[in-house]
Amino acid sequence: MGVVNVTPDSFSDGGQFDDAAQAVDHGRRLAAEGASIIDVGGESTRPGAQPVDASDELERVIPVVAALAATTRVSIDTMKLTVAEAAVDAGATYVNDVTAFRHDPDLAGFVADRGLDCCLMHMLGAPRTMQEDPRYDDVVSDVKAFLEERLAAAVAAGIPEERVQLDPGIGFGKTLEHNLELLRRLGEIAAIGRPVVLGTSRKSFIGRLTGRDVAGRVHGTVATCVIGYERGARVFRVHDVAAVHDGLSVAAATLPPHGA
Ligand code: HH2
């Protein structure tokens, strides 16, 4: 899953693709590098980010979704029903909601009615405050229980279980140690039985470990994806598709099939 943020303020690529034509070119490049789905977002969820109005978000993402959907599979990264509706009308077939349908519960019914795939992600709190002293009893058990509950809510809303993917939400209300523990024990999340989506790309915990700024976190990102793959993750939401694709190709050829 290649990331295209059509925002002025995303933590790693903010301002680079806030022009629609640049965003479309970038999405096409990521598809050519091996991404099978392009995730288009118009609202940053980085720590401290301010919410964006639906009208601004629509203006940012819809032309990009429409152009990319002509040649590649598109996911819409939004928590808002109105944005998801317009993006699906423009050709998106997957809804990536970092609030797991908690922000807009009607989004679940929409995904069900339109037969879409979706990703439900764990986040503790809201982006503006989520990094202020996050605490868990046991981060992996707590995240797993949350994802099981949101999966059940999605199924109760009419979404077939096969359409749901689950994401532990790396960096969303988590300390460095929480992120590492989730990666280390990702198999416990995969044991829920749905495909696990992993979003480690260029995130600050990699910077904490390597001392690198955002642009220098590609190698650390590849390492996290290979580790995640080995522990059962199957969708990798990344900015650096070519590098991660190479890393995963080698890992997939080398490692025994999951569960073998
Ligand atoms: N991370 C970000 C945004 N959306 N979606 C899923 N499913 N998983 C993630 O880990 C995830 C996500 C944050 O990264 P990015 O989009 O690069 O930055 P920003 O939120 O600042 O736009």
Side-chain angles (χ1 to χ4, degrees), residues 44-211:
S44 173
T45 48
R46 71 180 157 72
Q50 294 296 330
V52 170
D53 279 349
S55 57
D56 291 338
E57 199 179 330
L58 282 167
E59 206 174 299
R60 291 174 183 176
V61 297
I62 297 308
V64 178
V65 169
L68 286 175
T71 52
T72 186
R73 197 159 178 233
V74 174
S75 149
I76 180 70
D77 185 350
T78 191
M79 59 182 83
K80 299 188 187 80
L81 175 63
T82 47
V83 175
E85 284 171 336
V88 169
D89 287 343
T93 57
Y94 183 116
V95 173
N96 175 25
D97 178 6
V98 298
T99 76
F101 302 143
R102 290 177 299 158
H103 176 79
D104 211 334
D106 290 343
L107 190 46
F110 171 71
V111 168
D113 289 346
R114 299 293 289 263
L116 306 169
D117 292 319
C118 62
C119 175
L120 306 181
M121 196 195 80
H122 175 271
M123 167 165 49
L124 187 68
R128 213 166 45 76
T129 52
M130 66 191 177
Q131 288 307 101
E132 291 169 9
D133 195 25
R135 284 166 195 256
Y136 299 87
D137 287 337
D138 172 79
V139 66
V140 181
S141 307
D142 290 7
V143 167
K144 183 174 182 183
F146 171 89
L147 292 175
E148 285 173 333
E149 186 274 316
R150 296 317 297 159
L151 172 61
V155 170
I159 304 174
E161 191 167 321
E162 309 78 66
R163 296 254 176 232
V164 183
Q165 305 190 338
L166 301 173
D167 185 332
I170 298 293
F172 285 85
K174 280 121 188 150
T175 62
L176 170 64
E177 195 42 53
H178 292 145
N179 291 321
L180 296 178
E181 187 71 2
L182 280 164
L183 263 182
R184 215 175 273 133
R185 292 168 52 199
L186 203 62
E188 294 175 43
I189 306 295
I192 298 173
R194 299 307 314 138
V196 171
V197 179
L198 188 64
T200 53
S201 189
R202 299 184 183 173
K203 282 186 178 167
S204 67
F205 81 104
I206 296 175
R208 290 271 306 279
L209 295 171
T210 60

